[in-house]
Amino acid sequence: MKHIHRILSVTLLILLISCNKDFLDTTPKDQYSDLAVWESPDLIRAYTNGIYQQLHNPLGTLWLSSFVDETMAQGFWGLSTVNSSLINPSDLSVLASDHWGQTMQPLSWDKAYKNIRACNLFFENVDKATYGSQSEKDQIIGEVTFLRAYIYHWLVAFHGGVPIITKSFSVGDDFEVPRNTYEECINFIAGECDKAAALLPESGEKARASKGAALALKSRTLLYAASDFANSDASWAGSYAHPELVGYVGGDRATRWRAAKAAAKAVIDLNIYSLYNANPTSTEDAIKGCEDVFLNYTTDEDIFLITYDYTNGNWPFTYMGQSNSPNGWHGWGGAGPIGQFVDAYEMSDGSKFDWSNPAHKAEPYANRDPRFYATVLYNGGYYKPRPSDVIAADPLGLVQTGFYEQPDGTYLGGLDTKDGIDNWNAMPTGYYLRKFIDPKVDITVEIQKLPWKAFRYAEIMLNYAEACIELGEEPEAILYLNKIRTRAGMPDITASGQALKDEYRYERRFELAFEQHRFFDVRRWMIASEAYTNVEGIKITYNLLPGGGYAPPVYEKNPDTWENREFKNNWYLLPITIAEMSRNTKLIQNPLY
Amino acid sequence: MKNKLLTGYARHFTGRSEMLKVMKIGILFMILGITNVQAFVYSQTYNIDLSLSNVPLREAFARIEEKTDLKFLFRSDLIDINKATNIEEKGSTTLPELMTELLDGSEISYNVVNDNLIVLSPKQPQKVTGIVTDEKGSTIPGVNIQVEGTTIGVTTDVNGKYTIELPGDNGVLIFTFIGYTTQKIEVKGEATINVTMVAETQNLQEIVVVGYGSQKKATLTGSVSTVKGADLALLPVMNVSNSLSGKLSGVFVSTGSSEPGNDGSIITIRGISTFNNTAPLIVVDGVPGRSLDRIDPNIIDNISVLKDASAAIYGAQAANGVILITTKRGKIGKPAINFSYNLGTGSPTSMPKLTNSFEYTTMLNEIDFYNGVPNRYSDNDLKLYQDGSDPLGHPNTDWYAETLKPWSSQHAMNISLSGGSESFRYFISASTKFQDGFYKNSASNYKQQSFTANLDGKINKYISLRADFSGRLENPNAPSTPVYDIFTSASLGKPTVLAFWPNGLPAQGGEGGANPALLGTSELGYSHTKNYVLNTNLNLKIDVPWVKGLSLNLLAALDEGFQYNKLWNKPWNTYNWDGSTLDENGDPVLVKTTWGGDPKLSQTDDKSQNLLTSALLNYKVNISKKQTLELMGAVEKIEGSSSYLYGYRRYFISTAIDEINQGGVKEMNNGGSSSISARLNYFGRANYTLSDRYMIEFQWRYQGSYIFSKENRFGFFPGVSLGYIMSEEDYWKKSLGNSISFFKIRASYGKTGNDLINPYQYLSTFYTGTLNSIVNGGTGAEATLYENVVPNPNATWESATQRDLGVDMRFLNGNLALTVDIFSNLRDNILSQRNASVPTSAGLSLPAENIGKAENKGFDFDISYRNSPNPDKLSYQIGFNGVYSKNKLIFWDETPGVPDYQKSEGAPIYAELYYVSMGIFKDEAAVTNYPHWDGARPGDVIFKDVNDDKVIDANDKVRSDKTNIPVSSGAISFSLRYKDFDFSMVMQGILGGERYIFGYAGEIGPYFKDFYDNRWTPDNPNASGPRTFNRENEYWATSDDYSTQSTQFLYKTDYVRLKNFEIGYSLPSSVLKKIGSTSLRVYFSAYNLFTIAPDLKGFDPELNNKRGYGYPLQKVINFGVSLGF
C-alpha cells in the first residue's frame, strides 16, 4: 500500500502544480471595463454617442403624424385602437415598449428611463476622467445635460408629471419613486436647459447638442407648459384627485407665457440661425426651398439633428422612401396624408379652400399654398420617373390616384391605386407623402441617410409668435409669421385677434407638418376632438368622352372613410402600464384610466 | 470412434465371467456397430432386494450379478471400479433407475447389449465444431462457449469458428457474448453446431459507458440509458440528433426543422427544470463540446445518457444530463470491410392549408364590410376568382406549390475498414452525405464528408497508446434570403398574385420583387458555409507494473474548427404586365424590372480551438474474494478560444466574379472579435462492491470556471449511488428466481450544476454598439458604447439536486426486461432577472441573480421483450419506453400583487398568460350582455371576465397549466427477423403540450383554410371561430404581441408519429459465398412516414412556430444496401 500512496500523491502533486489556476483569470475580449471607460474621454464620447443613438427617430409610417389628423398609416395593427382612444393600461398597442414596430419604442416609459439611467451614470462618473481642457469637459457635460432634459421632455409630454430620477440605481436599492408634479418637471427641464446652455458652445456639429439646442428645448418645453392644457386645472379629467400631476395648479399664467416668449427669443437672439431660402424668387423657388430644407444634410435653419444608425442604417427614416412612396413606384404606401389635412391647405392667395367653390372643386390642386406641393403627392403631381417596369405605362412620372372609366362602364384605377401594381400597398386616401423623401434615392435598393431635424429655426419663430399672440403683442407675432410665410411663398398676414390666432395655428400646422408637433398641439390647445374624425380621402374619376379619350377628372370628397377615429379625454395622456403600477406602488395612474 | 475405443476390450478382462464375456464380443461388435439405443430393455424391470452403503463398485456389480441375470463388462484400467457407491433397492426397479443410482457421481457411462450385458466405459469426450454468426450472418469472434455444468469452455476464433470437446456425447452448450442473448443448445450427438446469436440490448453483462469509465450493466448504480450506434446508423436522417427519437427512455427529442444543415433536434433529458439553457452536455470520446448532430452515425459504437446523479462527475455542466458518445475501435481479426449506400427522397410532413383566391378575396371584402368601406372586389371579380376563367387577371396561386417541389433527394455512403492484431488495431471510416432542399431549383442543400481513424497500439505489456483522428467538412448551402423569410413570404403569398407568366418568366410576386418562388433559388444569390472540424485524441495508458490494478491515463485532445461563410446578394429580375397590353399572339407584353440594386458580398471567417488535457489515475483492487474497490482521481484542464473576421463589399461591377476583391471600395466594411474560455476540473470516483450484490459509488467534481468571479469560481459537486441486486440472495433464488431472474434496486442522490450562462456577469463592462452617423451632419460615423447589465459579483452556477430511485428486473428467463425510475430534480440558484418587481423607471439592465427555483418530478421506464423461438429463423423484440416529467416553478421574480391565477410560481416553467376565450359574440345582444373589450362587436372573441369586475383588462388573464413542452413522451418499438428478412419500426408519441398558433393574414396575405371554414359571419353567427380580421387589428388577433393572446388559438400538440420504419432482406450465406462477401443486405426504410395530431390542422406538431410558418420537417423514404467483406 505504501507504493500506492507514493505514486498517487506524487502524480497528483505533479498534476496540481502543472495546473496553475491563473489561466482561469480571463477577461472579455470584446468589452471594456468600467474603469477603462470612465478614465478615457474618448470612450466617454463613444458612450454619449450611444445615448444619442437611442433617441427617438420619428419618421417612418408609425410616427406621431399617424396618430393625429396628418396621415394615416397602413401595415401596423392596432392603429384604430389607438386613434379611437381605446388604449388602456393593459394594452398600449403600437405604443407599447416592446412593440415590434420599434419607431415609437424610444419614447416609451421603459426605454426613456433606460436612456436616462445612461445619463445619470455619466454624471456620476465623468469626473474620473482627465480632460485636455475644461471646455471639452464642459461640452460633454452640457451635451448629456441636454440629452437627459430632452428625454424628460418627451416623457412629460406623453405622461404629465413623471418621477424625476437623477441618480443611477444599483441592485438592492429601493426603486419605488413617486411621480413629481407637472410643475416640478417643467422647472427641472427648463433648469437643465439653462445649465446645458451655459456649458455648450454656440456652434459645432449639429448632431451634437449646442447652446441653441438647449435653448430650443427650453422654448418648446415652456410653450407647452404655458398652453391651455397645462393650465386647465384638469377640468377635462373629471374629478381627478391629483391635478398637480397633469398640469399647473394655480400660479400666474401670463408669467408662463412671458417665460415661453423669452425662451424662444433667447434662441433668436443667438443670431446664428436663419430660414433656408428665406426670400424665394418665385412660387417654384418657394416650393423647392420648402422641400430642400429636409433634403439637405444641414442648413442654417437647423438647430439640432438626430442622425441614424450608420452600421445598420436600419431606422425607419432611412427607408422613408420605400415605406411611404406610392405603390406605383414599388413603394409601400405606408403613411399617406388624409383628406382633412389636404383640404385644410389655404389657396396661394391666403384664402380658404372650399369644396363648395366650383373652381376649387374643379381643380382642387391648383393654386394652393406652395408648401402643399412640397409636402403631398397628389393625383397628376410629378414625383419622379417611374421604375423600369412601369415607365412605359407612365413616362411622365405623374401620380395616378384617379379611376378611369372603361368601355363597359366600370372604373379601373390608375397605377397608384388598388388597381395598380403592388396593389395591396395602395393608400386609399388618394394621397402619398412627399415631404422628407429624397426623390434621388432608388427606393427599392438604396436607403436614405438624411438626418432628422429635431429642432429647426422655423419652430422657434412660431413658438415665439404664439407666446407673443397670447401676450397680446400681435405686431411682433405677425413679423415672425410673415417671415415664414414669405419663405413659403404665401402672402403676408394682417389679421388680429382670433383671426390671427387661427392664422397662427394654420402656419404651425402646415409649416411644421409631420414634424411631430401637431399631436401635441391639438392636445395643448385642447382642440383634439376636432382632430380625431374618421379618415377621409379623395375620389377622382376620369370619364370617357364620346369621341374617345378622357374628360378632365372629376374631383369629389370620397364618401367612404378608412380609419375610425374618435377622441376621448383619456387620450390626452398615455396611461402607465398595469405592470409598472404594480412594480412601483407609489405611482398614481393618469386620469380616466 | 466408438469402434476404436472398443478394440481394446479383448485384452484385459477381469471378473468372474471373463470367458463368457469374451465369447460374446463378436456380438457386441455387431450391435455397437449398428446401434447405441437400448430403449427396448428399459421397459424391463428387476426385483432386487439390495442395500449397500459405501461399497466399491466392483462389489456392487458382483452382488447385482448374483441377484439378476445382468452381466457387467468393463476394462479395469479405464474405469475406477473401486469407487464407492450406495444402493438401496426394494421391489421392482428399471435398469436405467438402477444404473443411475449405481453410477451416480462416477465418470462412467454404460451401454446395454443383448438385454442383460452391460458394457461399462469411461464417459467419452465428444468433439463439436461450428460457426457462430450474428443475425445478419456476420461471424462473431470471441463468443464464449461453455459446456453446461462443467468448467470446459472455449471462445470462437477470428472467423467465428470454434471446436469444443464434450466429456460425453450428450450435453448442453451455452453460448454467451456481450450484447447477445445467451443460447443453450443440446448437443444430441451432433458433430457440427452452427449458431446464430440474437442481439440483446438488455444483456446484463453488457458494458455501459459512464463518465470517465465503463461499468457492467448488472452492477451499475446510476440511471443510464444506452443505444447502440448500429441502431442509429440505419435511420435515413442527416443529423444524428434526429435519430435518437424514441430510442432512449427519458430522452425527449424534438426536431424543429429539416432545413439542410440546420436540422438539429432539441434534446432534453427528463424534461426541463430551468428557464435557462436546458441543453445536456455532449461528450464525444471523453471530450465535452463536440458535435452530436454532425458526427457520422457509422462511427458511433454506443451512446450513453446519464440521467441522474451519475452525471455528477461532470459537475457544473451536468445538471441537464450528459450524453456520452463512444466511437468504434478496431477488433482483433482479419480486415473487415463494410460498405453501405442509402438513397432517399424527402418531402414536407405537412403544410398549412391556406385560402384560395376566391376565399381570400371574399374575406378581404368582409374586412371592408366591417370597416364600413366599399368592397374592394366586385361580384364579378369574385366570380372570376371562383371559376378561374381569367387566369392572368384573376389567378389562383398556390404559393407552396410554386415554391416547393414534391420530393427532394438525399443520399449517404459509408465505407469502413477495421481489424488488427494484439499489438495494433484500427478502425477507419469514410462517409459522404448529401441532402437537397425543398425548394424548386433549390439553392439549399447540405453536403458532408467525414473520415475517422481510431488507432490502438500496444507498445508493451504495460503501455498502450490510442490515437484518434476525425475530420469533417460540413457544407450547408442556402439561398441568400433567410429561411424564415422564405416561408413567411410563401405563407403570405397572395393567391390573387401570379407566380409565373405563361411563358415561364417570373412575375413580381410580392413586395420588392420578393417572389417566394424565387427566394429559395440562387436567383438572388446564396449563402455558402464551409465548416471544417478536426477532432483529435491522443491517449497514453500506463498500467503501473509494480502495483496490480493501478493505471494512469493521460489524454490530450485538440479540436479545431474553421468556418467560412459567404453571403452573396445579387440583383434579380421579375416581369410585370400592365394588365391589358397583349402581343400579336394574345400573350401579355411583359416589362422587366431589376431588383436588389448592386451586388453585395459579406464574408466571415471563424476559427475556434479547444484543448483538453487530463491525467487520470485508476486503481482497482480485490480487497477480498467478495469485496472489490475501484478508485479513480483525475485532473482536467480545458482551454478554448475563438475569433472571427468579417468583410463586406458592395458595388460589384459584375456578378460574374463573387470574390471580395472585385467589390467597390465605397461603403466597404470589416469587423471581427475574439473570445477565450478556461476550465479546471478535479474529479474522482470510488466504487465498492460486496458479494457482487451490494454496490456503493461516490463521485465528485471540483470545478473551476472562467465564467465566474474569483470568489465564486470553484464549486464542488458530489454524487452518491447505491445498488442492491436482491436476486443474488439465496432466498430470492429459491422463492422468486424462476419468475424474476434479476432484480436490482438503485438509488442515487447528487448535486450538479448548470453553467450555460453568459460569462463575466460579475464584471461591470461596456459593449460597443453600432456606429452612429453623428459627425459631418450625418455623413460620418463614430463608435457607440453602452453599459452592459449591472454587475452581479455573486453570480454563480445554477445548482441541481438530483434524486433517483430505480429498479431493473428481468423475467421469463431474461426475455422480458423492465427498468423503472422515479426521479426528482430540484434546481435552485437559477439565474434570472428581477424584471417583474423592479420598476422600469429604475432604468436598469438588471443582472441575472441566482434567485430562481424550480422542480421537475416524474418517472421513466423501459420495457422490452425479446424472444427467439427459433434463433435461426425467427426472433423478435418489442419495446416500450416513456417519460413523464412535470415541472413547476417554485420561485422567481413575480410582480407584486398579481392574483393567484396569474402567478408563475406553482405553474410550469414558460407557462404563459392567456385571456380565456368563451367563444364568439354571436350578435349585438351578446356583446351588450357581457363585459367586453372596448370596441368589441359581434364576431369577436369573448374574453372571460375572470375576476368578475365587469371590466376586461390584463387582470383577466390566466396562467396556463401547460406549455409548449409536452409532459409525457414515449415510443413503442418493434423489430422482427424472420429467416432472411428483418423488420423494425419506432412509433413516437407525446402528450400534454400546447401551442399558440395565430397566423398573420388579411391585406398582408391569405388566411388558414381552417379559419375560413369556421369563421363568424353575419350569416353564420354560431361559428366556432371569430370573424375575418385584418393583420392584428382586432384586440384578439395577435401573434407577436403577448398582451392579448387568448385560449381561442391555443392548440394541443399531442401526437403519434411513425418515426421510423424499415424492412430488410439479407442474402443467405450460400449465395454470399459465391460473390465472396460476408454479408449483403438490402432494405427499405422510412422516417416520419405518418403523423396523427388531432388538434393541429395542417401543422407539424414538432414545428415550433407561433405563426405556423417555418422550414417544415421532412418525411423520408429510403432504399439502402450494405455489403460486408
Side-chain angles (χ1 to χ4, degrees), chain A residues 203-465:
Chain A
S203 58
E205 190 68 61
K206 286 195 174 172
R208 292 184 180 281
S210 61
K211 185 183 290 272
L215 295 177
L217 173 60
K218 186 182 176 188
S219 162
R220 191 187 290 176
T221 302
L222 294 183
L223 179 77
Y224 284 19
S227 302
D228 291 352
F229 178 73
N231 294 277
S232 61
D233 285 321
S235 59
W236 53 275
S239 51
Y240 185 56
H242 300 280
E244 73 282 1
L245 293 179
V246 297
Y248 284 107
V249 183
D252 176 27
R253 195 172 169 196
T255 313
R256 286 168 204 147
W257 278 120
R258 279 193 290 277
K261 182 192 161 196
K265 192 72 172 38
V267 181
I268 294 168
D269 289 346
L270 289 173
N271 275 320
I272 52 173
Y273 304 112
S274 59
L275 290 179
Y276 175 80
N277 199 29
N279 295 293
T281 54
S282 64
T283 304
E284 285 64 40
D285 189 35
I287 295 170
K288 189 167 186 316
C290 291
E291 205 176 304
D292 286 351
V293 177
F294 303 99
L295 303 184
N296 278 304
Y297 274 85
T298 183
T299 71
D300 285 344
E301 191 171 339
D302 301 329
I303 299 174
F304 179 57
L305 307 175
I306 292 178
T307 49
Y308 70 102
D309 180 333
Y310 182 88
T311 312
N312 295 322
N314 65 351
W315 59 278
F317 191 22
T318 55
Y319 295 103
M320 257 329 259
Q322 184 172 42
S323 298
N324 298 303
S325 288
N327 53 312
W329 274 268
H330 293 304
W332 300 345
I338 64 173
Q340 292 99 316
F341 175 80
V342 172
D343 291 350
Y345 271 102
E346 288 179 353
M347 303 307 289
S348 56
D349 61 3
S351 64
K352 299 287 170 202
F353 172 83
D354 188 356
W355 275 111
S356 54
N357 180 328
H360 290 180
K361 185 174 181 300
E363 289 185 88
Y365 307 134
N367 304 319
R368 302 290 289 270
D369 183 331
R371 285 171 293 201
F372 165 73
Y373 307 100
T375 308
V376 180
L377 286 177
Y378 54 92
N379 186 51
Y382 176 73
Y383 176 31
K384 61 178 180 178
R386 295 272 180 181
S388 58
D389 57 327
V390 194
I391 197 160
D394 169 29
L396 300 176
L398 304 178
V399 178
Q400 298 180 7
T401 56
F403 288 76
Y404 298 79
E405 189 181 12
Q406 303 300 303
D408 64 359
T410 60
Y411 286 84
L412 194 67
L415 289 169
D416 307 304
T417 68
K418 66 181 180 68
D419 297 327
I421 56 167
D422 295 7
N423 53 21
W424 54 89
N425 284 325
M427 175 52 72
T429 60
Y431 300 112
Y432 292 92
L433 208 64
R434 163 162 239 165
K435 191 168 176 173
F436 306 123
I437 296 176
D438 185 349
K440 295 186 290 296
V441 170
D442 180 355
I443 57 166
T444 62
V445 176
E446 280 302 306
I447 57 173
Q448 179 173 313
K449 295 170 180 176
L450 294 166
W452 164 243
K453 321 238 154 170
F455 288 96
R456 64 180 176 105
Y457 190 50
E459 179 206 343
I460 302 302
M461 295 166 78
L462 288 162
N463 291 355
Y464 181 68

Side-chain angles (χ1 to χ4, degrees), chain A residues 1 3-4 7-8 11-12 15-16 18-35 37-38 43-54 74-81 86 88 90-91 93 98 100 109-110 113-114 117 121 163 165 169-171 175-176 205 207-208 297-298 305 307-312 330 332 387-390 392-393 418 421-422 424-425 444-446 449 451 560-562 564 568 578-580 582-584, chain B residues 371-374 376 494 497 508-512 544 546-547 550 552 576 591-598 615 617 619 635 637-639 650-651 667 669 673-676 678-680 682 704-706 710 713-714 760 762-768 770-779 781-788 790 835-845 847 849 895-896 915 933-935 953-955 1000 1003 1031-1033 1040-1041 1043-1044:
Chain A
M1 291 302 273
H3 269 315
I4 301 161
I7 292 163
L8 274 173
T11 315
L12 283 175
L15 295 171
L16 290 177
S18 67
C19 283
N20 189 334
K21 288 180 190 173
D22 287 350
F23 81 101
L24 292 172
D25 293 332
T26 60
T27 48
K29 294 196 130 190
D30 55 353
Q31 291 172 20
Y32 292 98
S33 73
D34 56 343
L35 295 173
V37 171
W38 298 122
L43 289 177
I44 292 175
R45 184 177 162 102
Y47 178 81
T48 56
N49 289 345
I51 301 173
Y52 281 106
Q53 187 99 311
Q54 297 307 310
Q74 315 189 91
F76 292 83
W77 31 93
L79 285 163
S80 189
T81 308
L86 292 176
N88 60 56
S90 304
D91 184 14
S93 190
D98 58 352
W100 66 270
W109 179 283
D110 306 18
Y113 273 109
K114 203 171 162 60
R117 174 189 164 79
L121 206 63
I165 293 167
F169 285 98
S170 303
V171 174
F175 301 108
E176 296 204 355
E205 190 68 61
R208 292 184 180 281
Y297 274 85
T298 183
L305 307 175
T307 49
Y308 70 102
D309 180 333
Y310 182 88
T311 312
N312 295 322
H330 293 304
W332 300 345
S388 58
D389 57 327
V390 194
K418 66 181 180 68
I421 56 167
D422 295 7
W424 54 89
N425 284 325
T444 62
V445 176
E446 280 302 306
K449 295 170 180 176
D560 298 315
T561 59
W562 282 278
N564 295 329
K568 294 177 187 158
I578 277 194
E580 186 71 357
S582 32
R583 288 186 284 239
N584 180 357
Chain B
N371 285 340
V373 303
R376 67 191 79 193
K494 294 177 178 58
V497 172
Q508 187 190 324
E511 236 148 48
V544 179
W546 57 91
V547 185
L550 180 68
L552 174 66
N576 268 348
V591 183
K592 182 170 94 174
T593 318
T594 301
W595 305 93
D598 55 303
L617 267 178
Y619 180 60
V635 56
K637 181 176 170 181
I638 305 175
E639 288 170 287
R650 56 182 299 187
Y651 304 115
E667 291 173 50
N669 196 2
S673 189
S674 66
S675 70
I676 46 175
R679 286 188 168 90
L680 178 61
Y682 304 91
S705 167
Y706 75 107
K710 225 167 183 172
R713 185 160 290 162
F714 279 86
Y760 306 120
Y762 63 95
L763 292 176
S764 175
T765 59
F766 290 73
Y767 66 92
T768 45
T770 50
L771 294 176
N772 188 340
S773 57
I774 197 160
V775 284
N776 292 336
T779 55
E782 272 191 13
T784 59
L785 202 58
Y786 297 94
E787 184 196 18
N788 238 326
V790 176
N835 281 332
S837 66
V838 174
T840 55
S841 57
L844 291 170
S845 291
E849 298 170 72
T895 305
Y915 287 100
W933 201 268
D934 267 350
D953 61 15
N955 292 325
Y1000 280 152
E1003 284 161 352
R1031 294 175 167 172
E1032 302 195 342
N1033 264 344
D1040 281 296
D1041 177 11
S1043 66
T1044 57

Side-chain angles (χ1 to χ4, degrees), chain B residues 888-910:
Chain B
K888 75 172 187 212
L889 262 179
I890 297 173
F891 178 81
W892 84 336
D893 187 45
E894 195 104 55
T895 305
V898 295
D900 282 349
Y901 53 84
Q902 292 190 353
K903 283 208 164 123
S904 295
E905 288 163 13
I909 294 167
Y910 298 132

